[in-house]
Amino acid sequence: MPANPAHAFDLIVIGAGPAGLAAAHRSAQLGARTLLIDRAQAGGTSGNLGCIPKALLRYGAAMARCSGANPAADAWADTIARARGEVARQRDAHLVQLADAGVQWMRGMASLRGRGIVRVQTDTGKTTLRARQIVLAAGAHPMPLSAPGAELACTSDDVLGWDALPASLIVVGGTAIALELASTLAGFGVRVTLLARDARVLPEFDHALSDAAAHALAASGVELIAGADIARIERDAVNGDGVAVYVNPADNGISRVLRAQRVLGAVGRAPNTAGLGLEAAGVTLDARARIAVDRHFRTRARGVHAVGDICSGLPLQLAPVAAAQGRYVAERLFGKGVKLPDMSMVPTAVLCDPAIASVGLTEAEARARWPETDKRTPADRIDVVVRRFVPLEQRFAGTGRESLIKLVCNARSGRVLGAHIVDNAAPDIIQTLAVAVRMGVRLKHLRTTVGLHPSVAEALLAM
């Protein structure tokens, strides 16, 4: 352990995504001498390769559709330049905010070397540091496809590096990321085929949202093949610059060979635990290869915590969830009177076209919790209210595309247990509605509230 006091910190945070940024920033605000280390850029996947750039690309696709610009060239070139510029601006803003809070920043590969000891490999050499407390917040990365030839596939991390779009693309996965990229890139004129292994896309969402997403993909020109199992990926012998994907349907139907310029895998994310020196430090993993933590995000190693996508028990891999965990650990270590973050009503959205957003229980989850066969409760324990309508945006565009609002309620009390929305305004509506659902809003409260006209949100009040 170095004797140089300049190398001693109250807290070292490894990983500068939403979880690490929140932990470092709040700890420094509370007076802790804090060092934040990341092998790449501040902002993590969310800021540099995920949520922020995906939203920007979606805006660009919408502008391309409205303007009638050549989507495969001019629109993409303009959009990717804007997206990269905004990502860089936000990355610089993170560094300014960290410096203003008193957080020291270091770029390099960090690993644990014993209790309170961190070794950092930088461009100029190795440095050994020590800290009273350590927070691991290294995030996650896209899982590779498991089929032979998976090395021919790219991932969602690669899209922001595309200077030009492929004419055709096969997206593998029924996840939110898969749908977002398929929908957005189709908006730029790419011929997209989406392969989902499950019978429906977005299987963790309410069934109504999954169905709506499938219809929206078809309307945007995306070919959806559900229940598809990839046998292998090869270089396309017909078109040497492309790929051939061999697909075996789950129902033992006729096998297909799909050809495209590129194939992109979006089947989930795996934690960035490699190279962190976990075993040597006594940090253990759970059955899903994530760092095992208790309810306070403590690992088995004394003085070592883990937050965000890298740790166990994460209800959803979302930036706000990770940030809430990071702030909690900072408050618990260096503040006082802190409470565990409430993860019971976390809103989530899929930025496809139209957008999808959800909070609370799905209909299936609610009926499983209060089954109709339970003789101790009435058969109508769960009440589902659905409204479909064509918003002004779509009437003006002449598409006639319907929006959807679905509320899952307790039939006896009228309490809203879950809300599910399909509309481009859905993410903003669900954020506010999440507060209401968390506070126990009832259907009668919505129906007796005066609405804002004209708006999509007022449809909630006419349920």
Side-chain angles (χ1 to χ4, degrees):
M1 184 175 295
N4 187 347
H7 288 173
F9 296 89
D10 296 314
L11 175 68
I12 291 178
V13 181
I14 301 175
L21 286 170
H25 191 271
R26 186 60 185 137
S27 295
Q29 286 181 325
L30 292 169
R33 188 169 186 223
T34 305
L35 172 67
L36 177 60
I37 307 169
D38 197 287
R39 60 184 177 181
Q41 303 283 358
T45 296
S46 176
N48 293 288
L49 301 168
C51 305
I52 299 301
K54 281 188 305 180
L56 295 167
L57 296 182
R58 177 172 176 260
Y59 298 152
M63 291 176 63
R65 285 191 296 268
C66 294
S67 66
N70 183 346
D74 298 339
W76 177 258
D78 178 67
T79 297
I80 201 68
R82 290 171 183 255
R84 290 169 180 168
E86 177 58 21
V87 166
R89 187 199 67 79
Q90 293 201 18
R91 188 164 57 228
D92 291 343
H94 286 311
L95 295 179
V96 171
Q97 292 168 357
L98 291 171
D100 289 345
V103 177
Q104 296 187 46
W105 163 257
M106 178 180 289
R107 187 169 177 179
M109 294 287 296
S111 59
L112 305 182
R113 285 295 186 268
R115 182 176 172 184
I117 302 175
V118 176
R119 177 73 56 82
V120 185
Q121 176 69 58
T122 68
D123 292 338
T124 58
K126 294 182 180 180
T127 302
T128 300
L129 310 168
R130 60 187 176 91
R132 292 169 47 211
Q133 302 288 341
I134 297 170
V135 170
L136 303 175
H141 61 274
M143 292 175 56
L145 299 177
S146 58
E151 68 278 1
L152 299 176
C154 57
T155 71
S156 58
D157 285 359
D158 300 318
V159 175
L160 202 64
W162 292 355
D163 292 321
L165 286 172
S168 55
L169 175 70
I170 297 171
V171 179
V172 182
T175 63
I177 295 175
L179 265 68
E180 289 172 339
L181 291 176
S183 175
T184 295
L185 295 175
F188 283 103
V190 180
R191 188 174 72 253
V192 180
T193 301
L194 180 68
L195 303 180
R197 188 168 188 174
D198 292 321
R200 62 188 179 99
V201 295
L202 303 177
E204 70 277 14
F205 281 75
D206 189 272
H207 205 292
L209 299 193
S210 296
D211 292 343
H215 288 304
L217 288 171
S220 65
V222 175
E223 180 186 8
L224 172 60
I225 303 176
D229 186 29
I230 297 179
R232 66 186 185 277
I233 303 171
E234 297 179 352
R235 291 288 183 190
D236 188 1
V238 178
N239 298 310
D241 62 343
V243 291
V245 178
Y246 293 77
V247 181
N248 294 327
D251 58 2
N252 296 320
I254 300 175
S255 298
R256 299 179 59 178
V257 181
L258 304 175
R259 290 180 167 84
Q261 283 192 341
R262 286 179 181 167
V263 59
L264 185 152
V267 294
R269 299 182 64 79
N272 291 327
T273 54
L276 288 179
L278 302 182
E279 184 175 352
V283 176
T284 59
L285 304 180
D286 66 7
R288 299 178 60 195
R290 301 185 186 279
I291 295 177
V293 295
D294 64 11
R295 63 193 297 264
H296 299 296
F297 307 102
R298 295 176 297 195
T299 71
R300 291 288 298 274
R302 185 174 178 181
V304 180
H305 298 70
V307 291
D309 294 355
I310 200 172
C311 75
S312 63
L314 192 71
L316 293 168
Q317 287 187 312
L318 298 172
V321 172
Q325 293 180 345
R327 282 191 297 271
Y328 170 78
V329 169
E331 290 278 359
R332 190 170 186 275
L333 290 176
F334 306 108
K336 58 182 179 180
V338 62
K339 293 183 179 179
L340 280 167
D342 183 2
M343 299 296 176
S344 63
M345 287 293 170
V346 177
T348 186
V350 183
L351 299 182
C352 50
D353 183 35
I356 290 171
S358 178
V359 68
L361 299 180
T362 66
E363 180 181 351
E365 290 170 340
R367 293 196 184 283
R369 187 171 298 186
W370 294 285
E372 295 183 1
T373 56
D374 189 347
K375 296 181 180 179
R376 295 173 297 176
T377 58
D380 60 348
R381 181 73 175 179
I382 299 301
D383 188 17
V384 175
V385 186
V386 178
R387 186 174 184 197
R388 301 176 187 273
F389 58 97
V390 179
L392 282 179
E393 176 189 2
Q394 301 306 324
R395 292 196 183 279
F396 181 83
T399 68
R401 188 172 66 191
E402 285 189 335
S403 293
L404 164 74
I405 298 179
K406 177 177 180 178
L407 300 180
V408 179
C409 307
N410 181 298
R412 180 180 296 174
S413 67
R415 180 170 180 172
V416 179
L417 305 173
H420 313 280
I421 305 175
V422 179
D423 188 271
N424 282 330
D428 291 317
I429 295 172
I430 211 72
Q431 177 64 83
T432 302
L433 192 57
V435 178
V437 174
R438 181 171 175 262
M439 300 303 293
V441 69
R442 301 174 189 272
L443 192 57
K444 67 179 181 180
H445 297 149
L446 296 177
R447 289 172 172 169
T448 55
T449 298
V450 177
L452 187 152
H453 180 76
S455 69
V456 174
E458 68 177 326
L460 273 169
L461 313 180
M463 299 294 288

